[in-house]
Amino acid sequence: EEVERLAVLEERTRIGMDLHDGVIQSIYAVGLTLDSIRLAMPEESQDSTQLIDTAISGLNDAIRDIRNFILHLRPRRFSGELNQGLARLVREFQANTMIPVTITVAQKLDDLPTGPARAVFLTAQESLANVARHARAQNVTLTLVRSDSAVTLVINDNGQGFDPDDNSRQVGTGMANMQALADGVGGSFKMSSARGHGTTDTLRLPLSHA
């Protein structure tokens, strides 16, 4: 089972690389060609220029969607180094989404037990993937603080948000995964949001339960 799981992860990583290095670059090249054509067209060709602008916008949307898919396709395994792991997640998130992230991480994390550290890493990974897929945010903040009794992770975006009371809204597995991670180490997870006011994910893990 472990060999099969690793093989699946390896294949997903390969597909992600192929999409990034092949498909995205090809779409980007088509967009550059269309842009060159638009610049070369006479000024009176407004209708054709608008059509080309629409096509370029569509290609840019496709590139964004593929980058978001890659971010979800290539989950990272927790290596045990929480600071390095979070920094890597943020770098990859910014590279794929072009959304800036302000990150503030507590300094004393070296002796954090493996259980809480892993839950923090995987929750951050899931939360950032949700932002990439759904939020349409312009910026994100990630804050990790530690006290004598608990470690708290807060990830906030300024995206479109959603109405928690809207029963027609489709709820994916992301929130359930993050709740399960918190439950597994005796912690708590909360997702709060409002339409037009972004979303905040808060994970709190009591260190006494580690």
Side-chain angles (χ1 to χ4, degrees), residues 73-104:
L73 191 65
R74 297 168 62 185
R76 296 297 182 184
R77 300 180 67 190
F78 179 52
S79 64
E81 295 290 337
L82 187 54
N83 272 320
Q84 294 179 10
L86 291 176
R88 186 175 70 246
L89 284 179
V90 167
R91 285 197 303 270
E92 293 186 357
F93 173 84
Q94 292 181 132
N96 281 295
T97 65
M98 305 301 174
I99 301 173
V101 179
T102 301
I103 180 171
T104 304

Side-chain angles (χ1 to χ4, degrees), residues 136-162:
R136 297 187 180 276
Q138 298 300 314
N139 58 70
V140 176
T141 61
L142 184 156
T143 305
L144 179 62
V145 297
R146 178 180 180 179
S147 66
D148 292 337
S149 60
V151 59
T152 303
L153 171 72
V154 180
I155 297 180
N156 173 261
D157 70 73
N158 69 341
Q160 61 186 354
F162 63 91

Side-chain angles (χ1 to χ4, degrees), residues 169-186:
R169 178 177 173 268
Q170 294 293 322
V171 179
T173 60
M175 183 173 179
N177 290 342
M178 290 184 281
Q179 184 64 62
L181 287 167
D183 292 343
V185 287

Side-chain angles (χ1 to χ4, degrees), residues 9-54:
L9 287 174
E10 184 176 306
E11 182 66 7
R12 290 173 66 174
T13 299
R14 184 192 65 78
I15 293 172
M17 292 177 64
D18 288 346
L19 286 172
H20 184 272
D21 297 338
V23 178
I24 286 182
Q25 298 306 318
S26 297
I27 296 175
Y28 185 67
V30 173
L32 289 178
T33 301
L34 288 173
D35 195 43
S36 298
I37 294 172
R38 180 178 60 81
L39 293 174
M41 293 179 69
E43 294 182 1
E44 58 269 18
S45 305
Q46 292 184 0
D47 291 343
S48 298
T49 300
Q50 289 178 356
L51 289 173
I52 291 177
D53 286 342
T54 300

Side-chain angles (χ1 to χ4, degrees), residues 176-198:
N177 290 342
M178 290 184 281
Q179 184 64 62
L181 287 167
D183 292 343
V185 287
S188 63
F189 173 78
K190 179 182 179 181
M191 178 184 289
S192 59
S193 186
R195 290 191 185 277
H197 294 282

